[in-house]
Amino acid sequence: MEALRRLGVFVQSIRYRLVLSIMIFVFSAGCYYDNEVALYPGDCIANNITYHGYVKPFIDINCTCHVKGSINGNLNLEEYGATRAAVLSGKLMQSIKHESGTSPMPPAVPKRNSCDISKLEAWINAGALNN
């Protein structure tokens, strides 16, 4: 009788460990995040790009020397008007694309990926609107 009770406890312990292992696997496998552009480099969607939805956040993250009160190179991209002026002069995209005759931006960093450049160009080609 004691052997059957011990066997029952052992089986229950195995069942508990199995359920716990499955739950850990399921929950850890569900928490996977990655960069969409890195996963699907050919699937760049560069339509409906807006200033506030894409361009401004891009500038805030990648052009830190020209935002938040910093005006390195006499260029402040904090406000839309200054950003649009830099876009219309052509210098902003030339720098981001690391073209000759301009200082590559951001400095000492590889050129932005083609999807980022395509999105910025799509916004510019749509009129560089404050949207």
Side-chain angles (χ1 to χ4, degrees), residues 58-70:
F58 175 90
I59 289 171
D60 289 344
I61 292 168
N62 296 289
C63 307
T64 56
C65 295
H66 304 287
V67 295
K68 299 189 182 15
S70 180

Side-chain angles (χ1 to χ4, degrees), residues 3 10 23-24 43-44 52 71 78 85 99 116 122 124:
F10 177 73
M23 288 176 58
I24 289 171
D43 293 345
C44 180
H52 293 286
I71 54 169
E78 185 71 27
E99 292 181 353
D116 286 337
I124 292 167

Side-chain angles (χ1 to χ4, degrees), residues 21-95:
S21 297
I22 290 171
M23 288 176 58
I24 289 171
F25 174 76
V26 167
F27 287 117
S28 66
C31 295
Y32 179 75
Y33 298 98
D34 215 328
N35 183 317
E36 183 179 355
V37 173
L39 286 173
Y40 310 104
D43 293 345
C44 180
I45 300 171
N47 55 3
N48 298 322
I49 304 299
T50 64
Y51 174 74
H52 293 286
Y54 181 79
V55 178
K56 180 67 170 139
F58 175 90
I59 289 171
D60 289 344
I61 292 168
N62 296 289
C63 307
T64 56
C65 295
H66 304 287
V67 295
K68 299 189 182 15
S70 180
I71 54 169
N72 292 351
N74 293 322
L75 179 62
N76 185 344
L77 300 175
E78 185 71 27
E79 301 297 327
Y80 166 76
T83 302
R84 189 168 196 280
V87 163
L88 294 178
S89 75
K91 295 292 186 187
L92 183 68
M93 285 309 296
Q94 289 173 340
S95 292

Side-chain angles (χ1 to χ4, degrees), residues 94-127:
Q94 289 173 340
S95 292
I96 290 172
K97 292 166 77 174
H98 292 197
E99 292 181 353
S100 61
T102 62
S103 297
M105 293 294 158
V109 174
K111 183 173 76 171
R112 299 301 308 167
N113 65 56
S114 62
C115 187
D116 286 337
I117 291 171
S118 294
K119 288 178 179 182
L120 292 170
E121 288 177 331
W123 174 71
I124 292 167
N125 292 337

